[in-house]
Amino acid sequence: MSAALPLLAPRDLDAPLAWCAGVPVSAAQFIAEAQWLAERLPPGARPVNLCRDRYLFALGLAAALLRGQTSLMPPNALPETLQQLGSDGRIVVLHDDPAEDAAGLPALAVARPAGLAPARTVPLLSADLEAVCLLTSGSTGPPQPHVKRWGPLVANIGAEAQRLAELLGRDSIAGLNVLATVPAQHSYGFESSVLLALLGGAAFDAGRPFYPADIAAGLARLPAPRALVTTPFHLKALLLAGVALPPAALVLSATAPLSPQLAAQAEQALDARLVEIYGCTEAGQVAARRTTDGPTWTTLGALHLWREGEGEDERFLVAGGHVTEPTPLADVLELQDERHFRLLGRANDLIHVAGKRSSLAHLNFHLNRIEGVDDGAFWMPPEQADGVTRPVAFVVAPALSEAQVIQALRERLEPAFVPRRVIHVDALPREATGKLGARTLEEFARAQLDGETRFEVPADHPAFEGHFPGQPVLPGVALLDLVLQALATRPALQARVGATPSLDEVKFLAPVGPGSALRVLLREQGAALAFEVRRGPTCVARGRLSAGTAA
């Protein structure tokens, strides 16, 4: 018979467990509301918890636990994903939005009841209870399940809470008020906001702010000591916004490596200690570090690491504590001992150029350290016929030219990894957690590169004559001619609009002078084609073409 473990870590039941729009909700009230909701869950159900409100998500989670049911947490809420989960007829979708598309499956709206008496005892759960099933997208087919039992979750969060308390110089994290920018359905957001409160003694805010002003306002609503749970992507955007931030005792970051410079800026701006969490869906949270103290990670609790194999067969495993079976990690590590390591990058992230080895994570790290780069990512194209392949960099850097980005990278990277092409984009297709999936990046990169044609505007272009004396500017009609030339190299797109397309709209946004290097980008937009003409990061013209007679 397995041990019984409490739903909540030992705490004052009358103290806040959560904050809903600035109003505290006690642990006693939370238990009562979870018990009320549990009675309304269908017997034998498999709840899919899609609640965006973090408190209502926690209520749905706790209600399922009290019924002995496993909450499913899919990688997204797309109808196709939900239908894949609903084939056995036991799925019930928990939501807090009437507009939520449940894909025709049974649904239950999660709401707070009124007039309940606070609970005075904490329910116990079996340590073997399959508490949640995290579903991650496979390369093909349905999402892949990773079941987490209650006992290991309790041990994992306990180890995290102990490490955070040590780094903060406290006996515990009781009373710490957590604001998170990451969704509760993601393993990091789930563990370091909802479970850090339930099983670690903290309290969490129900919101999930995204914009810098909303993050600042959310922190200001919470009493000190405060903690911000976020990602490098969200943190960088927050610091670049320049909004006034209230002090926070702690900033937690995960999902991607964080530069020491950004960590130091965050600590100064928030008067906080910044701690990174390293983990994975399979093993949960594995290690932590205070980034400004150095690059070394220390495992949590009783976890230990070791290496097996050599060369292509090399892999690193973790076990102990909440990881009951040896579990391979998807990263390449530099072990200092069984509890301390440096992170070198994803095992499937390693690239080879001209006999040199690096990782995309390492290249992205240095790309995003460049002042003026708001966001950036490297992509490695498939090997070319001549065997020579160079990485391509995509950047959101409105104030920097391609040459400036390349020069900055030359100062940081070996020559083999300096990209020959830097593509300016308006934004990268990141997930809500800030992650940029490999497949998503590949599709994005191909769309950008396949739809791009380059032109060099010669200094003696005949269109400059008389337009204008002393300050030659390429006429708009000449820019449109470049668009048509680019279209002629793309037969599939040409077929959509015909040989004499109609110009539906055009805006000329910046002048083009002699010697300019231009890029014409074409993309499908319904039945029409959208086009942009760019000079480095600057869009000089944009518009739309459709089938018809030339204007």
Side-chain angles (χ1 to χ4, degrees), residues 8 10-19 24-31 118-120 174-177 197 201-204:
L8 304 180
R11 63 190 303 145
D12 178 357
L13 293 184
D14 294 320
L17 174 75
W19 298 85
V25 180
S26 70
Q29 191 66 34
F30 172 79
I31 294 171
R120 303 320 308 173
L176 187 69
N177 296 298
F204 67 92

mmCIF file of all heavy atoms in Angstrom, residues 8 10-19 24-31 118-120 174-177 197 201-204:
data_model
loop_
_atom_site.group_PDB
_atom_site.id
_atom_site.type_symbol
_atom_site.label_atom_id
_atom_site.label_comp_id
_atom_site.label_asym_id
_atom_site.label_seq_id
_atom_site.Cartn_x
_atom_site.Cartn_y
_atom_site.Cartn_z
ATOM 1 N N LEU A 8 -1.731 19.731 0.009
ATOM 2 C CA LEU A 8 -0.952 20.946 0.220
ATOM 3 C C LEU A 8 0.169 20.676 1.209
ATOM 4 O O LEU A 8 0.008 19.896 2.155
ATOM 5 C CB LEU A 8 -1.831 22.079 0.780
ATOM 6 C CG LEU A 8 -3.076 22.479 -0.028
ATOM 7 C CD1 LEU A 8 -3.803 23.605 0.690
ATOM 8 C CD2 LEU A 8 -2.699 22.903 -1.436
ATOM 9 N N PRO A 10 2.556 21.548 4.410
ATOM 10 C CA PRO A 10 2.173 22.166 5.683
ATOM 11 C C PRO A 10 2.210 23.689 5.592
ATOM 12 O O PRO A 10 3.203 24.272 5.138
ATOM 13 C CB PRO A 10 3.240 21.637 6.647
ATOM 14 C CG PRO A 10 3.667 20.334 6.046
ATOM 15 C CD PRO A 10 3.620 20.539 4.579
ATOM 16 N N ARG A 11 1.124 24.334 6.032
ATOM 17 C CA ARG A 11 1.026 25.791 5.933
ATOM 18 C C ARG A 11 -0.140 26.263 6.789
ATOM 19 O O ARG A 11 -0.989 25.471 7.218
ATOM 20 C CB ARG A 11 0.814 26.229 4.487
ATOM 21 C CG ARG A 11 -0.499 25.731 3.889
ATOM 22 C CD ARG A 11 -0.582 25.977 2.383
ATOM 23 N NE ARG A 11 -0.407 27.375 2.054
ATOM 24 C CZ ARG A 11 0.215 27.817 0.962
ATOM 25 N NH1 ARG A 11 0.721 26.954 0.100
ATOM 26 N NH2 ARG A 11 0.335 29.102 0.717
ATOM 27 N N ASP A 12 -0.195 27.551 7.014
ATOM 28 C CA ASP A 12 -1.324 28.178 7.700
ATOM 29 C C ASP A 12 -2.499 28.192 6.722
ATOM 30 O O ASP A 12 -2.440 28.845 5.677
ATOM 31 C CB ASP A 12 -0.947 29.599 8.114
ATOM 32 C CG ASP A 12 -2.093 30.339 8.797
ATOM 33 O OD1 ASP A 12 -3.200 29.775 8.910
ATOM 34 O OD2 ASP A 12 -1.879 31.505 9.194
ATOM 35 N N LEU A 13 -3.561 27.458 7.018
ATOM 36 C CA LEU A 13 -4.684 27.350 6.095
ATOM 37 C C LEU A 13 -5.415 28.663 5.886
ATOM 38 O O LEU A 13 -6.158 28.820 4.906
ATOM 39 C CB LEU A 13 -5.671 26.282 6.571
ATOM 40 C CG LEU A 13 -5.177 24.834 6.540
ATOM 41 C CD1 LEU A 13 -6.286 23.877 6.954
ATOM 42 C CD2 LEU A 13 -4.660 24.467 5.150
ATOM 43 N N ASP A 14 -5.224 29.619 6.779
ATOM 44 C CA ASP A 14 -5.886 30.912 6.628
ATOM 45 C C ASP A 14 -5.037 31.922 5.865
ATOM 46 O O ASP A 14 -5.509 33.014 5.538
ATOM 47 C CB ASP A 14 -6.248 31.483 8.013
ATOM 48 C CG ASP A 14 -7.296 30.634 8.728
ATOM 49 O OD1 ASP A 14 -8.231 30.160 8.041
ATOM 50 O OD2 ASP A 14 -7.169 30.426 9.941
ATOM 51 N N ALA A 15 -3.794 31.563 5.574
ATOM 52 C CA ALA A 15 -2.915 32.458 4.807
ATOM 53 C C ALA A 15 -3.211 32.306 3.315
ATOM 54 O O ALA A 15 -3.743 31.283 2.873
ATOM 55 C CB ALA A 15 -1.456 32.131 5.096
ATOM 56 N N PRO A 16 -2.870 33.308 2.504
ATOM 57 C CA PRO A 16 -3.172 33.240 1.072
ATOM 58 C C PRO A 16 -2.439 32.083 0.379
ATOM 59 O O PRO A 16 -1.245 31.877 0.587
ATOM 60 C CB PRO A 16 -2.673 34.588 0.525
ATOM 61 C CG PRO A 16 -2.671 35.504 1.706
ATOM 62 C CD PRO A 16 -2.314 34.634 2.881
ATOM 63 N N LEU A 17 -3.176 31.358 -0.428
ATOM 64 C CA LEU A 17 -2.594 30.372 -1.346
ATOM 65 C C LEU A 17 -2.521 30.958 -2.752
ATOM 66 O O LEU A 17 -1.670 30.604 -3.551
ATOM 67 C CB LEU A 17 -3.443 29.104 -1.372
ATOM 68 C CG LEU A 17 -3.032 28.045 -2.399
ATOM 69 C CD1 LEU A 17 -1.768 27.318 -1.935
ATOM 70 C CD2 LEU A 17 -4.153 27.051 -2.650
ATOM 71 N N ALA A 18 -3.447 31.887 -3.023
ATOM 72 C CA ALA A 18 -3.515 32.489 -4.352
ATOM 73 C C ALA A 18 -4.019 33.923 -4.230
ATOM 74 O O ALA A 18 -4.572 34.333 -3.199
ATOM 75 C CB ALA A 18 -4.428 31.673 -5.258
ATOM 76 N N TRP A 19 -3.807 34.670 -5.324
ATOM 77 C CA TRP A 19 -4.299 36.044 -5.435
ATOM 78 C C TRP A 19 -5.083 36.157 -6.733
ATOM 79 O O TRP A 19 -4.569 35.863 -7.809
ATOM 80 C CB TRP A 19 -3.145 37.039 -5.437
ATOM 81 C CG TRP A 19 -2.331 37.011 -4.168
ATOM 82 C CD1 TRP A 19 -1.299 36.184 -3.863
ATOM 83 C CD2 TRP A 19 -2.534 37.852 -3.035
ATOM 84 N NE1 TRP A 19 -0.822 36.446 -2.605
ATOM 85 C CE2 TRP A 19 -1.556 37.472 -2.063
ATOM 86 C CE3 TRP A 19 -3.413 38.878 -2.720
ATOM 87 C CZ2 TRP A 19 -1.452 38.091 -0.826
ATOM 88 C CZ3 TRP A 19 -3.315 39.497 -1.484
ATOM 89 C CH2 TRP A 19 -2.347 39.111 -0.551
ATOM 90 N N PRO A 24 -6.856 38.116 -1.905
ATOM 91 C CA PRO A 24 -6.282 36.843 -1.448
ATOM 92 C C PRO A 24 -7.334 35.748 -1.331
ATOM 93 O O PRO A 24 -8.493 36.008 -0.969
ATOM 94 C CB PRO A 24 -5.705 37.199 -0.073
ATOM 95 C CG PRO A 24 -6.524 38.353 0.404
ATOM 96 C CD PRO A 24 -6.885 39.139 -0.829
ATOM 97 N N VAL A 25 -6.917 34.526 -1.651
ATOM 98 C CA VAL A 25 -7.751 33.337 -1.463
ATOM 99 C C VAL A 25 -6.971 32.400 -0.553
ATOM 100 O O VAL A 25 -5.853 31.997 -0.878
ATOM 101 C CB VAL A 25 -8.065 32.636 -2.791
ATOM 102 C CG1 VAL A 25 -8.928 31.400 -2.552
ATOM 103 C CG2 VAL A 25 -8.755 33.587 -3.755
ATOM 104 N N SER A 26 -7.541 32.045 0.577
ATOM 105 C CA SER A 26 -6.832 31.216 1.547
ATOM 106 C C SER A 26 -6.755 29.768 1.087
ATOM 107 O O SER A 26 -7.544 29.315 0.236
ATOM 108 C CB SER A 26 -7.525 31.283 2.905
ATOM 109 O OG SER A 26 -8.775 30.607 2.858
ATOM 110 N N ALA A 27 -5.827 29.046 1.672
ATOM 111 C CA ALA A 27 -5.712 27.615 1.387
ATOM 112 C C ALA A 27 -6.989 26.887 1.795
ATOM 113 O O ALA A 27 -7.442 25.965 1.105
ATOM 114 C CB ALA A 27 -4.512 27.036 2.128
ATOM 115 N N ALA A 28 -7.592 27.307 2.918
ATOM 116 C CA ALA A 28 -8.825 26.678 3.389
ATOM 117 C C ALA A 28 -9.962 26.870 2.386
ATOM 118 O O ALA A 28 -10.749 25.955 2.124
ATOM 119 C CB ALA A 28 -9.214 27.250 4.754
ATOM 120 N N GLN A 29 -10.044 28.069 1.806
ATOM 121 C CA GLN A 29 -11.077 28.339 0.811
ATOM 122 C C GLN A 29 -10.824 27.534 -0.461
ATOM 123 O O GLN A 29 -11.753 26.994 -1.074
ATOM 124 C CB GLN A 29 -11.114 29.835 0.482
ATOM 125 C CG GLN A 29 -12.321 30.267 -0.337
ATOM 126 C CD GLN A 29 -13.626 30.112 0.437
ATOM 127 O OE1 GLN A 29 -13.672 30.297 1.654
ATOM 128 N NE2 GLN A 29 -14.694 29.749 -0.262
ATOM 129 N N PHE A 30 -9.564 27.436 -0.861
ATOM 130 C CA PHE A 30 -9.202 26.670 -2.057
ATOM 131 C C PHE A 30 -9.618 25.207 -1.904
ATOM 132 O O PHE A 30 -10.203 24.622 -2.827
ATOM 133 C CB PHE A 30 -7.697 26.769 -2.291
ATOM 134 C CG PHE A 30 -7.185 25.866 -3.383
ATOM 135 C CD1 PHE A 30 -7.333 26.197 -4.717
ATOM 136 C CD2 PHE A 30 -6.566 24.661 -3.066
ATOM 137 C CE1 PHE A 30 -6.872 25.364 -5.731
ATOM 138 C CE2 PHE A 30 -6.092 23.820 -4.065
ATOM 139 C CZ PHE A 30 -6.251 24.171 -5.399
ATOM 140 N N ILE A 31 -9.344 24.609 -0.771
ATOM 141 C CA ILE A 31 -9.701 23.201 -0.562
ATOM 142 C C ILE A 31 -11.211 23.020 -0.658
ATOM 143 O O ILE A 31 -11.703 22.084 -1.311
ATOM 144 C CB ILE A 31 -9.180 22.704 0.800
ATOM 145 C CG1 ILE A 31 -7.651 22.690 0.809
ATOM 146 C CG2 ILE A 31 -9.718 21.309 1.104
ATOM 147 C CD1 ILE A 31 -7.057 22.430 2.175
ATOM 148 N N PRO A 118 -14.941 27.501 4.746
ATOM 149 C CA PRO A 118 -13.551 27.071 4.542
ATOM 150 C C PRO A 118 -13.311 25.681 5.120
ATOM 151 O O PRO A 118 -13.890 25.299 6.145
ATOM 152 C CB PRO A 118 -12.733 28.128 5.296
ATOM 153 C CG PRO A 118 -13.637 29.312 5.415
ATOM 154 C CD PRO A 118 -15.028 28.759 5.520
ATOM 155 N N ALA A 119 -12.490 24.909 4.440
ATOM 156 C CA ALA A 119 -12.129 23.577 4.927
ATOM 157 C C ALA A 119 -11.108 23.699 6.043
ATOM 158 O O ALA A 119 -10.294 24.624 6.060
ATOM 159 C CB ALA A 119 -11.552 22.749 3.786
ATOM 160 N N ARG A 120 -11.122 22.757 6.975
ATOM 161 C CA ARG A 120 -10.193 22.825 8.109
ATOM 162 C C ARG A 120 -9.189 21.692 8.100
ATOM 163 O O ARG A 120 -8.296 21.625 8.952
ATOM 164 C CB ARG A 120 -10.949 22.802 9.448
ATOM 165 C CG ARG A 120 -11.975 23.888 9.663
ATOM 166 C CD ARG A 120 -11.569 25.266 9.173
ATOM 167 N NE ARG A 120 -10.273 25.727 9.660
ATOM 168 C CZ ARG A 120 -9.663 26.837 9.250
ATOM 169 N NH1 ARG A 120 -10.215 27.583 8.312
ATOM 170 N NH2 ARG A 120 -8.493 27.182 9.751
ATOM 171 N N ALA A 174 7.822 30.086 2.268
ATOM 172 C CA ALA A 174 6.483 30.426 2.758
ATOM 173 C C ALA A 174 6.289 31.937 2.658
ATOM 174 O O ALA A 174 7.164 32.716 3.046
ATOM 175 C CB ALA A 174 6.309 29.960 4.196
ATOM 176 N N GLY A 175 5.154 32.353 2.137
ATOM 177 C CA GLY A 175 4.863 33.778 2.021
ATOM 178 C C GLY A 175 5.359 34.414 0.739
ATOM 179 O O GLY A 175 5.050 35.574 0.457
ATOM 180 N N LEU A 176 6.117 33.678 -0.075
ATOM 181 C CA LEU A 176 6.580 34.207 -1.352
ATOM 182 C C LEU A 176 5.402 34.248 -2.322
ATOM 183 O O LEU A 176 4.688 33.258 -2.490
ATOM 184 C CB LEU A 176 7.690 33.319 -1.903
ATOM 185 C CG LEU A 176 8.417 33.811 -3.158
ATOM 186 C CD1 LEU A 176 9.265 35.035 -2.842
ATOM 187 C CD2 LEU A 176 9.302 32.695 -3.724
ATOM 188 N N ASN A 177 5.187 35.395 -2.976
ATOM 189 C CA ASN A 177 4.049 35.577 -3.876
ATOM 190 C C ASN A 177 4.531 35.575 -5.327
ATOM 191 O O ASN A 177 5.338 36.414 -5.720
ATOM 192 C CB ASN A 177 3.320 36.878 -3.545
ATOM 193 C CG ASN A 177 2.715 36.833 -2.162
ATOM 194 O OD1 ASN A 177 1.845 36.006 -1.892
ATOM 195 N ND2 ASN A 177 3.176 37.699 -1.268
ATOM 196 N N ALA A 197 3.281 26.670 -5.229
ATOM 197 C CA ALA A 197 2.380 27.147 -4.179
ATOM 198 C C ALA A 197 1.770 25.978 -3.412
ATOM 199 O O ALA A 197 1.844 25.915 -2.182
ATOM 200 C CB ALA A 197 1.279 28.014 -4.786
ATOM 201 N N GLY A 201 4.746 25.921 -0.496
ATOM 202 C CA GLY A 201 4.438 26.889 0.547
ATOM 203 C C GLY A 201 4.276 28.311 0.062
ATOM 204 O O GLY A 201 3.981 29.205 0.863
ATOM 205 N N ALA A 202 4.466 28.575 -1.247
ATOM 206 C CA ALA A 202 4.317 29.927 -1.777
ATOM 207 C C ALA A 202 2.839 30.206 -2.068
ATOM 208 O O ALA A 202 1.956 29.393 -1.783
ATOM 209 C CB ALA A 202 5.161 30.084 -3.038
ATOM 210 N N ALA A 203 2.562 31.393 -2.633
ATOM 211 C CA ALA A 203 1.231 31.742 -3.128
ATOM 212 C C ALA A 203 1.393 32.224 -4.559
ATOM 213 O O ALA A 203 2.428 32.787 -4.908
ATOM 214 C CB ALA A 203 0.590 32.821 -2.261
ATOM 215 N N PHE A 204 0.385 32.004 -5.410
ATOM 216 C CA PHE A 204 0.525 32.377 -6.813
ATOM 217 C C PHE A 204 -0.576 33.338 -7.237
ATOM 218 O O PHE A 204 -1.677 33.335 -6.688
ATOM 219 C CB PHE A 204 0.509 31.135 -7.713
ATOM 220 C CG PHE A 204 -0.808 30.397 -7.745
ATOM 221 C CD1 PHE A 204 -1.769 30.689 -8.699
ATOM 222 C CD2 PHE A 204 -1.088 29.393 -6.819
ATOM 223 C CE1 PHE A 204 -2.984 30.014 -8.741
ATOM 224 C CE2 PHE A 204 -2.285 28.707 -6.842
ATOM 225 C CZ PHE A 204 -3.240 29.023 -7.810
#
